């Protein structure tokens, strides 16, 4: 019996442009794809609840796609460093193929696997556009500023052309038993909070292709300007598909290039490169999710305010565009990127709560929760990360709302208590005259909360904190 090779799937839940899968097939040996749900390895960021919902459906879709090519999808739960060596012994596998992980804990596991399993581990680029070690500044150091990083990426030429899916996968004669996907309990019980997710998303490679096609046909042309407007359908919403590897960064790059070279395409490629920059930062700074890149921010005088944190999490801050964003997140598992910056700025600057608390909430509630993107973006907003200049930037949620949701349609969608307010007052209901509030059936502090922070006082406190860091 010919020995198989294992295909360890981590964040490449697709058949198309999957270099690890194609290399395993090219070996001429039977291929056994396996996904391990590892909630036990020290340092591993256990997937949040929204991500677990997505993972269930993505694995179900992948299993069906693999079955059509003749291969099973083996599911096991436990420590990867235990499961894969055990499976090598069980099957007599001669090698393991896998995508190069970016997460620090997964990189540590990958480094130990050849010794533990006793067979080669062959890693392939499946998550990023470029080899994470390939991009260095002129001084030979990792990049810390996005613009020179993006220029270096563009100077390398186009991303590698996407590769087609294999036509057939040779399966082993004997397939070890697999965990039933339902036994993992990735879906919510009661209460079932996932209705908004089901109504918004179609996880899986086919869903990713459909989302990309819709974006190219209807949104790409206006993307450069519409992407900042939460009241419009102006973004790609491809981030969860990209995070789970249902579509590759190479595929998105070439799809954008094929669509032309207008402002929308240029802006979209810039967003792909921001994702690449986040991975670059995590690769070279493994403590990025926990520790500020700027050491002086370890002295930031953060506050302890559990009630304010809870109000922020539930969209009950009394600041309409913030509450709309937090409720959109709770209902759909996703939030518009402009609004992500607004709600994050309120938390870490006006409320002076640690960025790690916001990072943890996003990790649990976002379907596109990505360790590199989440950590890099929260550090950027907090002012303690890479390229965070000016680090003392503080978003005013009223002004941001007026600029990017001018008629309040985004707020009205997710904060229906405010639906009857005129546009003039939709982003500042506490300032509306009494007759306007009465006509809108709005009772500040009762039917909708009063602001949990005075914006001017919160801004002054944050600027004083930044000044204290500079002075010490």
């Amino acid at each position: 019996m010919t020995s198989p090779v294992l295909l360890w799937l981590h964040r490449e839940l697709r058949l198309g442009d999957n270099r690890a899968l194609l290399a395993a097939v090219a070996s001429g040996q039977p291929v056994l794809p396996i996904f391990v749900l590892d909630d036990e390895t020290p340092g591993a960021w256990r997937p949040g609840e929204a991500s677990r919902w997505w993972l269930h459906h993505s694995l179900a879709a992948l299993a069906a796609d693999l079955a059509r090519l003749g291969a099973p999808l083996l599911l096991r739960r436990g420590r990867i460093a235990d499961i894969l060596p055990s499976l090598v012994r069980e099957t007599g596998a001669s090698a393991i193929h896998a995508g190069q992980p970016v997460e620090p804990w997964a990189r540590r596991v990958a480094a130990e696997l050849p010794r533990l399993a006793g067979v080669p581990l062959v890693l392939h680029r499946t998550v990023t556009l470029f080899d994470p070690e390939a991009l260095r500044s002129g001084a030979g150091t990792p990049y810390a500023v996005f613009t020179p990083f993006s220029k270096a990426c563009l100077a390398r030429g186009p991303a590698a052309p996407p590769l087609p899916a294999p036509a057939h996968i040779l399966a082993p004669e004997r397939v070890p038993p697999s965990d039933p996907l339902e036994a993992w309990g990735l879906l919510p019980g009661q209460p079932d909070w996932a209705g908004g997710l089901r109504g918004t998303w179609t996880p899986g490679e086919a869903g990713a292709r459909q989302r990309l096609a819709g974006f190219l046909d209807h949104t790409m042309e206006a993307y450069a300007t519409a992407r900042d407007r939460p009241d419009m359908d102006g973004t790609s919403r491809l981030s969860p598909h990209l995070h789970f590897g249902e579509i590759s960064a190479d595929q998105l790059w070439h799809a954008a290039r094929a669509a032309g070279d207008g402002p929308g395409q240029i802006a979209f490629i810039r967003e792909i490169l921001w994702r690449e920059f986040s991975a670059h930062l995590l690769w070279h700074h493994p403590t990025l999710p926990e520790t500020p890149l700027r050491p002086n921010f370890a002295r930031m005088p953060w506050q302890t305010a559990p009630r304010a944190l809870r109000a922020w999490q539930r969209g009950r801050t009394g600041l309409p565009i913030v509450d709309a964003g937090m409720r959109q997140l709770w209902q759909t598992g996703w939030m518009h990127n402009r609004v992500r910056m607004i709600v994050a700025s309120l938390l870490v600057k006006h409320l002076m709560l640690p960025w790690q608390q916001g990072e943890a909430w996003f990790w649990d509630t976002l379907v596109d929760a990505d360790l590199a993107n989440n950590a890099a973006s929260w550090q950027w907003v907090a002012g303690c990360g890479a390229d965070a200049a000016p680090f003392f930037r503080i978003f005013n949620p009223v002004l941001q709302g007026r600029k990017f949701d001018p008629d309040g349609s985004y707020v009205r969608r997710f904060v229906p208590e405010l639906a009857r307010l005129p546009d003039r007052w939709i982003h500042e209901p506490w300032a509306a005259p009494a007759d306007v509030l009465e006509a809108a059936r709005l009772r500040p502090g009762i039917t909708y909360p009063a602001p949990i922070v005075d914006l001017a006082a919160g801004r002054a406190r944050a600027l004083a904190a930044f000044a204290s860091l500079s002075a010490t």
Side-chain angles (χ1 to χ4, degrees):
M1 183 175 69
T2 305
S3 62
V5 294
L6 301 185
L7 174 65
W8 169 30
L9 296 166
H10 177 53
R11 279 184 52 197
E12 45 284 307
L13 305 184
R14 64 181 183 272
L15 303 183
D17 197 38
N18 188 334
R19 296 170 186 275
L21 169 61
L22 290 170
V25 171
S27 72
Q29 298 169 255
V31 177
L32 181 58
I34 176 169
F35 182 89
V36 181
L37 181 63
D38 188 343
D39 291 333
E40 302 176 18
T41 294
W45 279 65
R46 178 184 183 275
E49 293 304 313
S51 291
R52 294 168 98 82
W53 175 88
W54 190 289
L55 179 62
H56 176 99
H57 294 289
S58 188
L59 289 173
L62 179 62
D65 291 342
L66 285 169
R68 283 192 286 272
L69 298 188
L73 175 61
L74 187 61
L75 303 176
R76 294 283 177 89
R77 186 171 195 167
R79 292 166 60 111
I80 295 167
D82 296 333
I83 297 292
L84 292 184
S86 175
L87 195 59
V88 165
R89 293 187 291 270
E90 186 178 354
T91 63
S94 61
I96 304 170
H97 288 269
Q100 171 65 66
V102 175
E103 303 89 342
W105 69 269
R107 288 174 60 191
R108 290 192 294 269
V109 171
E112 286 293 304
L113 269 178
R115 178 183 65 81
L116 296 172
V119 298
L121 170 65
V122 187
L123 296 175
H124 308 268
R125 183 183 59 79
T126 59
V127 175
T128 56
L129 283 169
F130 305 106
D131 179 344
E133 285 290 348
L135 291 166
R136 298 273 181 162
S137 70
T141 58
Y143 285 95
V145 179
F146 172 69
T147 298
F149 174 84
S150 65
K151 289 180 178 178
C153 290
L154 294 171
R156 295 181 66 85
L163 301 173
H168 176 72
I169 301 174
L170 178 63
E173 294 179 11
R174 188 182 68 82
V175 177
S178 173
D179 294 348
L181 180 57
E182 293 72 17
W184 282 2
L186 300 176
L187 299 179
Q190 295 299 325
D192 179 5
W193 45 260
L197 276 63
R198 289 192 296 271
T200 306
W201 305 103
T202 304
E205 188 171 7
R209 290 196 300 267
Q210 183 179 21
R211 178 75 69 176
L212 174 60
F215 173 64
L216 294 174
D217 290 344
H218 305 296
T219 312
M220 172 72 87
E221 186 175 350
Y223 178 76
T225 54
R227 68 190 180 94
D228 268 328
R229 292 284 298 273
D231 57 334
M232 297 180 176
D233 185 15
T235 64
S236 74
R237 301 201 181 200
L238 282 161
S239 52
H241 298 289
L242 191 55
H243 166 71
F244 284 94
E246 298 166 350
I247 199 165
S248 72
D250 292 335
Q251 288 172 311
L252 296 187
W253 177 289
H254 284 277
R257 285 300 193 197
D261 58 357
Q265 289 84 355
I266 294 171
F268 185 64
I269 286 176
R270 181 179 173 85
E271 292 304 307
I272 296 173
L273 292 179
W274 178 261
R275 173 184 180 272
E276 192 80 3
F277 183 52
S278 298
H280 177 83
L281 292 174
L282 181 61
W283 182 272
H284 292 288
H285 304 279
T287 63
L288 185 73
E290 297 87 18
T291 306
L293 281 180
R294 298 185 178 203
N296 62 324
F297 272 77
R299 302 191 303 274
M300 191 71 170
W302 298 118
Q303 303 296 301
T304 300
R307 292 179 65 181
L309 176 63
R310 185 69 172 173
W312 177 85
Q313 291 171 337
R314 296 302 182 187
R316 301 285 297 170
T317 67
L319 297 158
I321 198 164
V322 172
D323 292 343
M326 299 307 293
R327 295 186 197 186
Q328 180 185 34
L329 172 60
W330 186 255
Q331 293 174 28
T332 71
W334 183 86
M335 188 195 303
H336 188 279
N337 187 60
R338 166 60 57 175
V339 186
R340 294 188 196 200
M341 293 189 286
I342 298 168
V343 306
S345 179
L346 182 86
L347 183 79
V348 300
K349 291 178 175 172
H350 283 103
L351 297 178
M352 288 292 294
L353 294 178
W355 59 268
Q356 293 95 332
Q357 293 183 350
E359 177 193 29
W361 184 252
F362 273 25
W363 181 260
D364 196 43
T365 53
L366 282 170
V367 291
D368 63 0
D370 180 277
L371 193 61
N373 281 11
N374 198 33
S377 296
W378 271 98
Q379 289 222 34
W380 181 84
V381 173
C384 59
D387 208 8
F391 64 87
F392 49 81
R393 177 193 293 111
I394 301 174
F395 288 109
N396 182 304
V398 175
L399 299 181
Q400 291 282 309
R402 289 172 179 166
K403 182 176 182 179
F404 297 110
D405 183 29
D407 65 1
S409 58
Y410 176 73
V411 165
R412 289 186 177 90
R413 178 183 174 190
F414 291 103
V415 190
E417 308 97 296
L418 305 179
R420 296 182 182 87
L421 275 177
D423 295 356
R424 179 181 176 184
W425 306 108
I426 189 71
H427 294 292
E428 198 176 15
W430 60 89
D435 61 328
V436 172
L437 295 174
E438 183 177 359
R441 302 178 193 172
L442 185 65
R443 300 170 66 191
I446 300 174
T447 57
Y448 182 68
I452 62 172
V453 63
D454 178 278
L455 295 177
R459 174 183 171 81
R461 179 174 62 174
L463 290 176
F466 286 135
S468 72
L469 295 183
S470 302
T472 55

